[in-house]
Amino acid sequence: CKEATCATNQTFPNYFKFGVATASYQVEGAWNEDGKGENIWDHLCHTNPDFVDDRSNGDIACDSYHKYKDDVAMLKDLGVDFYRFSLSWSRLIPLGLAGSPVNQAGIDYYKNLIQELVNNNIEPLVTIFHWDLPETLQEYGGFPNPESEEHFAYYARVVFENFGDSVKYWLTFNEPLQTCHEGYGIGFTAPGYKSSGLAEYKCTHTLIKAHARAYHVYDEEFRTQQQGYVGIAPDTYWYEPASGSVSDQEAAERALQFTYGWFANPIFNGNYPSVMIERIDERSKLQGFASSRLPKFTDEEVEYIKGTHDFLAINAYSTLYVQAKEEEVDTAVISYDSDLNVDTFFDDSWEESASSWLRVVPWGMRKLLNWLSKTYNHPEIFITENGVSDTGGLNDDRRINYYREYLSNVLEAILDDGVNVTRYTAWSLMDNFEWARGYTEKYGLYSVNFDDPGRPRTSKASASYYSSVISSKCLVDNCE
Ligand SMILES: O=S(=O)(O)CCCN1CCN(CCO[C@@H]2O[C@H](CO)[C@@H](O)[C@H](O)[C@H]2O)CC1
């Protein structure tokens, strides 16, 4: 249904699981405690505090390193089936380098957290990498350096070995698009490099191979005795054609391929999307490059990468209209945006959030889920992030509306469209460090008082709403 604050009165299937998510740098704090190494967000916030709107950092954040039992108590109160959290690479392997020492205190922290979850009958869903790259690896060039594949494979083996007895659901990378495009392309996230159309393509090339390595390590060395599942969590908007014209429809499809297909196509269908290969090859030639700015997978690599998934995951928050754009006549412009070459915009009528890139457009979620199902051959789908920001306050009715309407579209995709969505993860359990926005944008079901050294957590109205949805499997008062 498209009207505002409407929702289906159908109920979620019994197999459907609800969870919440956080990420290590955004909640843990203890940035240099017990042997943890520096990561690129520690480094960026300490050397360039103006990068963050309120000049804050994750030195303490929600202090989950010390308060993880409070976090699990909140999860218990919510009644979630699972908890999605990420591992801090430099807490476990301070230098990050393949073969370098493992930090036992880091192993112990995550073993304690996982045990606390298991004791409370909450399933861990672990993200291996959620943007906090060890600084030493960045000094070796970061993901644009092909050697990163070896470092990641070593890291993956360490975490499968130490946590795989209890952890059955793994995500290799959170939002590879942001890791590479925002990290090495447009400089919106650490390490803040601006090499659009160049380094960011090297970054994703290595990252996709690193994902495949980790998948095969699990498949060949751990799956038999651990019986778990491995996936990757790309993100995208729903891209809606601005008109019914063929050119606008092609532009919308191209935007989906350049954002989600960039990663999902190699992993599900084989190789980069043909529209990416063709457009970047063509523009690279016009620009005088001897070879395409988009690196090539060999035939063996295409086969090695294809099929490295046990489910499909998606982080989805919002929607954009897409309009075809006149071809960039100035071929000297080297950038991802000019390779993609579309115009995107919000409809002014769409409700705003506290984040400039996020408008409330619930029907976009249903369309995106249908596109994913059709494009990747009806896989099992986990929604691994969805949520909305405000500037704070406990009576967060707009967050309740957001969840009711987005979840209604998820349920309609399942019951009316036959899309095989089996999990939904709310971002986030609690207010946390929102990257370059600092603590100015709040996504939590619980608020955190960052002025109090005890970092007390307080439930918001949305926590009660989400908890009632989980227990009743129903979004409104009178379900069938
Ligand atoms: O701010 S600006 O408009 O100047 C530029 C940044 C735009 N990006 C858009 C993509 N978004 C992906 C979502 O990012 C995800 O969602 C959460 C909320 O952001 C994060 O906290 C999670 O860590 C992340 O996985 C991250 C921010």
Side-chain angles (χ1 to χ4, degrees):
C1 58
K2 281 199 168 187
E3 305 72 42
T5 64
C6 88
T8 173
N9 65 353
Q10 295 169 294
T11 53
F12 279 85
N14 279 333
Y15 62 73
F16 195 84
K17 289 186 174 175
F18 291 92
V20 293
T22 62
S24 44
Y25 187 77
Q26 295 181 269
V27 299
E28 286 180 4
W31 80 277
N32 62 348
E33 269 184 55
D34 297 341
K36 174 181 168 292
E38 186 188 32
N39 62 48
I40 57 174
W41 269 96
D42 297 317
H43 186 80
L44 179 64
C45 292
H46 296 158
T47 57
N48 179 12
D50 287 326
F51 188 89
V52 181
D53 290 353
D54 55 2
R55 294 172 60 85
S56 65
N57 56 49
D59 286 2
I60 302 173
C62 307
D63 197 22
S64 287
Y65 184 73
H66 300 108
K67 298 177 71 76
Y68 70 90
K69 290 192 176 180
D70 295 20
D71 294 347
V72 177
M74 294 193 290
L75 296 165
K76 191 78 185 163
D77 286 349
L78 282 170
V80 295
D81 300 300
F82 66 90
Y83 177 42
R84 178 183 174 224
F85 62 95
S86 78
L87 304 173
S88 169
W89 191 341
S90 62
R91 192 179 299 286
L92 289 164
I93 306 170
L95 294 174
L97 293 163
S100 65
V102 173
N103 175 29
Q104 189 55 45
I107 299 284
D108 295 345
Y109 167 66
Y110 291 111
K111 281 196 168 176
N112 291 337
L113 169 56
I114 291 163
Q115 193 54 55
E116 191 71 15
L117 291 167
V118 169
N119 293 348
N120 284 278
N121 196 25
I122 297 165
E123 192 180 62
L125 193 166
V126 172
T127 309
I128 299 174
F129 180 82
H130 196 126
W131 303 2
D132 42 1
L133 186 75
E135 178 60 23
T136 306
L137 294 188
Q138 183 50 43
E139 282 153 20
Y140 278 70
F143 280 116
N145 178 348
E147 285 173 20
S148 308
E149 178 186 332
E150 288 310 319
H151 304 316
F152 189 77
Y154 173 75
Y155 172 38
R157 197 172 273 112
V158 165
V159 304
F160 293 146
E161 221 156 73
N162 284 281
F163 312 125
D165 294 342
S166 307
V167 177
K168 302 302 171 191
Y169 288 91
W170 298 95
L171 294 165
T172 53
F173 288 95
N174 179 73
E175 302 195 355
L177 174 69
Q178 308 313 333
T179 305
C180 294
H181 176 54
E182 294 197 350
Y184 297 88
I186 57 175
F188 277 13
T189 190
Y193 284 16
K194 294 176 181 168
S195 172
S196 194
L198 292 167
E200 65 182 314
Y201 292 139
K202 306 282 184 200
C203 174
T204 52
H205 203 64
T206 304
L207 189 145
I208 291 165
K209 290 201 279 186
H211 159 81
R213 279 292 294 282
Y215 184 91
H216 284 289
V217 162
Y218 190 82
D219 219 21
E220 289 144 28
E221 301 174 33
F222 297 95
R223 190 187 297 278
T224 311
Q225 74 265 32
Q226 294 184 357
Q227 298 293 306
Y229 305 87
V230 180
I232 184 170
D235 67 296
T236 187
Y237 289 89
W238 169 246
Y239 287 101
E240 180 74 13
S243 79
S245 73
V246 169
S247 57
D248 284 357
Q249 288 177 40
E250 282 174 351
E253 177 67 21
R254 188 161 70 247
L256 286 160
Q257 292 296 345
F258 264 71
T259 50
Y260 196 86
W262 195 356
F263 309 96
N265 215 69
I267 291 166
F268 282 78
N269 300 337
N271 213 342
Y272 288 120
S274 49
V275 67
M276 280 192 88
I277 295 172
E278 285 154 18
R279 285 192 60 85
I280 300 168
D281 285 5
E282 181 192 339
R283 285 185 60 80
S284 300
K285 206 172 295 163
L286 285 172
Q287 291 157 344
F289 284 83
S291 63
S292 176
R293 287 179 281 103
L294 184 70
K296 299 284 180 216
F297 290 122
T298 64
D299 292 347
E300 296 74 30
E301 287 169 336
V302 169
E303 287 314 305
Y304 184 77
I305 296 163
K306 184 178 175 183
T308 55
H309 58 84
D310 296 326
F311 53 86
L312 180 144
I314 171 73
N315 288 4
Y317 288 86
S318 193
T319 293
L320 280 166
Y321 273 126
V322 183
Q323 204 156 41
K325 196 173 169 186
E326 288 308 307
E327 202 48 62
E328 187 77 58
V329 287
D330 178 2
T331 56
V333 173
I334 295 173
S335 73
Y336 168 87
D337 282 346
S338 54
D339 290 334
L340 166 54
N341 198 43
V342 298
D343 279 326
T344 58
F345 57 96
F346 292 127
D347 186 304
D348 288 343
S349 70
W350 293 344
E351 180 187 333
E352 292 181 312
S353 69
S355 306
S356 60
W357 56 274
L358 198 172
R359 293 285 184 106
V360 182
V361 195
W363 53 264
M365 173 63 86
R366 184 172 177 184
K367 291 212 169 178
L368 175 57
L369 290 171
N370 275 278
W371 181 83
L372 292 169
S373 193
K374 175 172 61 67
T375 308
Y376 302 108
N377 192 26
H378 309 293
E380 178 177 6
I381 297 176
F382 293 3
I383 297 170
T384 38
E385 278 181 37
N386 177 246
V388 69
S389 57
D390 58 27
T391 53
L394 301 181
N395 301 319
D396 52 344
D397 293 341
R398 290 166 66 149
R399 181 167 290 109
I400 291 174
N401 290 342
Y402 182 98
Y403 279 124
R404 178 191 300 110
E405 291 161 34
Y406 270 75
L407 279 166
S408 180
N409 276 275
V410 172
L411 188 50
E412 286 158 29
I414 296 168
L415 300 180
D416 305 343
D417 310 333
V419 179
N420 182 18
V421 188
T422 60
R423 287 177 188 245
Y424 175 88
T425 319
W427 181 271
S428 175
L429 167 63
M430 59 186 150
D431 298 341
N432 57 55
F433 180 73
E434 179 50 31
W435 310 111
R437 308 287 78 84
Y439 296 99
T440 62
E441 294 177 11
K442 316 283 185 185
Y443 280 87
L445 295 166
Y446 285 73
S447 81
V448 177
N449 182 349
F450 295 103
D451 297 326
D452 181 330
R455 297 291 191 275
R457 288 91 155 110
T458 310
S459 69
K460 302 179 188 175
S462 59
S464 311
Y465 174 72
Y466 193 53
S467 177
S468 70
V469 168
I470 295 171
S471 55
S472 68
K473 304 265 184 225
C474 169
L475 299 168
V476 293
D477 294 337
N478 55 338
C479 274
E480 283 163 356

